[in-house]
Amino acid sequence: MKKLELHIIGPILLFFLAGIILVRNCGNSNQAVMAFPIPFSFEGEFSRDGNNWQPLLENSDLSALKGDLILRGNFNLELMEGNYLNFYLNHIGMSMYVNGEMMYCTCTMEGYTGEDMCGKIWETMESPNIGNEDVVEIYLHNPHSFGNKNAYQEFLKSIYGGNILTFEKWIGKYSRPFWIIGYCILISSLMLFGMAFAFSMLRVSSNNILWSMGFFAFFMGGYILLDTPDISLKNQLVIFNTYGRQFCMMLSGFELVMCIWKSLTKRLREEWLLFWEQQREQYFFLF
């Protein structure tokens, strides 16, 4: 393969995969946007300190970066005994009380708040009989100071009732395209590695960009798979899924930069370095 052909194919592949990154990160977390036959909503009031209660409205300020949140009220539908309640947690802890009795807790309790649940996970609880007259209290705890501002809203918008097998089948149907895309990109990375290795054996000088393209596709495929909506239902490795996803995202960005750099001619590299040197001097001059 000629060097010119690599410069044409490389950017096309990179822009295609970079577009996937943008689509996957638009708006709130993709894992919280689900359509399920039995959506539940929580109605009542909320408080930050347990004293100053405010009505829970659609436009209420429920930022997870402003501290813990207490919800008090009830669900819009009655939850019969033996049914399941499914909900999404984005790096937050949660505990639920019904008529003062604790029914569910995601982690070890400290007072009324849970410790850090470091990951994006779907949780399931088997419900007692929760009627319209029962008082439900939900305590949400965010140990982070950035990154998951909408975690409380995502939790409230992602409460679904029904059989656990039905829920897993439904969310699995939604997740299937992302699994297919992730595996296809991983397979393409293996193909690129094979081409790069073959070119290395043939001592082709332009094979370096193929290695970078292969690593970029490999890490991007890993990122998509670990960010798939039902990944927490496939395995319980919350910490691995969380940090693996972050590492794949960072390393894919690094390899993307390397691909672009290797595709530039010597003259363009010199102009690029000169441009950033000028920007750096202007920055230090201003500050």
Side-chain angles (χ1 to χ4, degrees):
M1 183 178 293
K2 297 180 181 180
K3 187 174 182 180
L4 179 60
E5 294 175 335
L6 288 176
H7 290 167
I8 295 175
I9 297 175
I12 293 176
L13 178 62
L14 295 177
F15 282 122
F16 171 74
L17 294 177
I20 295 176
I21 300 177
L22 294 177
V23 172
R24 292 284 291 146
N25 286 282
C26 288
N28 290 338
S29 171
N30 291 325
Q31 301 182 33
V33 183
M34 289 290 129
F36 194 74
I38 312 177
F40 276 63
S41 63
F42 190 85
E43 302 171 347
E45 52 190 357
F46 73 95
S47 173
R48 293 285 183 177
D49 56 8
N51 295 317
N52 301 315
W53 293 92
Q54 304 177 50
L56 183 62
L57 305 175
E58 186 175 350
N59 60 348
S60 297
D61 183 12
L62 304 180
S63 173
L65 304 182
K66 295 184 178 181
D68 299 336
L69 187 71
I70 308 173
L71 304 172
R72 185 171 64 187
N74 210 316
F75 296 109
N76 63 324
L77 300 174
E78 183 175 357
L79 194 61
M80 303 300 294
E81 183 176 359
N83 285 345
Y84 289 88
L85 201 64
N86 310 282
F87 45 88
Y88 172 77
L89 300 176
N90 180 7
H91 292 268
I92 58 176
M94 190 279 287
S95 58
M96 180 184 298
Y97 293 78
V98 178
N99 298 325
E101 182 180 355
M102 188 176 71
M103 295 297 173
Y104 191 80
C105 177
T106 58
C107 51
T108 303
M109 300 299 293
E110 289 184 354
Y112 64 84
T113 57
E115 292 179 346
D116 179 14
M117 288 297 295
C118 193
K120 297 181 178 182
I121 56 176
W122 281 97
E123 290 280 2
T124 301
M125 62 169 285
E126 184 175 359
S127 171
N129 183 22
I130 303 179
N132 295 328
E133 298 181 355
D134 295 319
V135 178
V136 179
E137 294 178 306
I138 299 176
Y139 298 86
L140 301 175
H141 171 60
N142 179 28
H144 303 288
S145 59
F146 64 93
N148 60 341
K149 178 181 179 180
N150 299 322
Y152 295 161
Q153 288 96 330
E154 291 176 351
F155 165 77
L156 290 172
K157 294 178 181 179
S158 303
I159 303 176
Y160 304 98
N163 183 276
I164 181 61
L165 296 179
T166 303
F167 175 76
E168 290 182 354
K169 182 178 179 180
W170 187 275
I171 194 175
K173 182 178 179 180
Y174 176 86
S175 305
R176 192 173 298 118
F178 298 103
W179 284 103
I180 294 174
I181 292 173
Y183 279 122
C184 286
I185 294 178
L186 282 180
I187 293 173
S188 69
S189 72
L190 297 179
M191 296 172 62
L192 289 168
F193 285 143
M195 292 173 60
F197 179 76
F199 284 6
S200 297
M201 295 295 97
L202 296 174
R203 300 185 182 279
V204 178
S205 60
S206 59
N207 73 311
N208 287 336
I209 190 173
L210 285 176
W211 284 111
S212 293
M213 291 168 60
F215 280 113
F216 174 71
F218 178 80
F219 291 124
M220 180 51 55
Y223 169 78
I224 293 176
L225 291 178
L226 292 176
D227 195 48
T228 303
D230 63 345
I231 184 64
S232 63
L233 300 177
K234 298 294 185 181
N235 66 63
Q236 302 298 318
L237 305 175
V238 179
I239 296 179
F240 172 80
N241 294 339
T242 301
Y243 288 100
R245 172 184 176 275
Q246 297 302 108
F247 278 121
C248 285
M249 180 175 62
M250 291 186 294
L251 292 174
S252 63
F254 172 77
E255 292 298 337
L256 174 61
V257 173
M258 294 301 298
C259 288
I260 296 175
W261 176 258
K262 292 176 181 179
S263 66
L264 297 177
T265 62
K266 182 178 180 181
R267 183 177 62 84
L268 289 176
R269 291 183 184 181
E270 292 175 351
E271 293 179 357
W272 182 262
L273 291 175
L274 179 61
F275 169 77
W276 283 109
E277 182 66 22
Q278 293 174 348
Q279 296 299 314
R280 186 180 66 84
E281 291 178 355
Q282 292 180 6
Y283 175 84
F284 283 111
F285 175 76
L286 292 174
F287 292 94

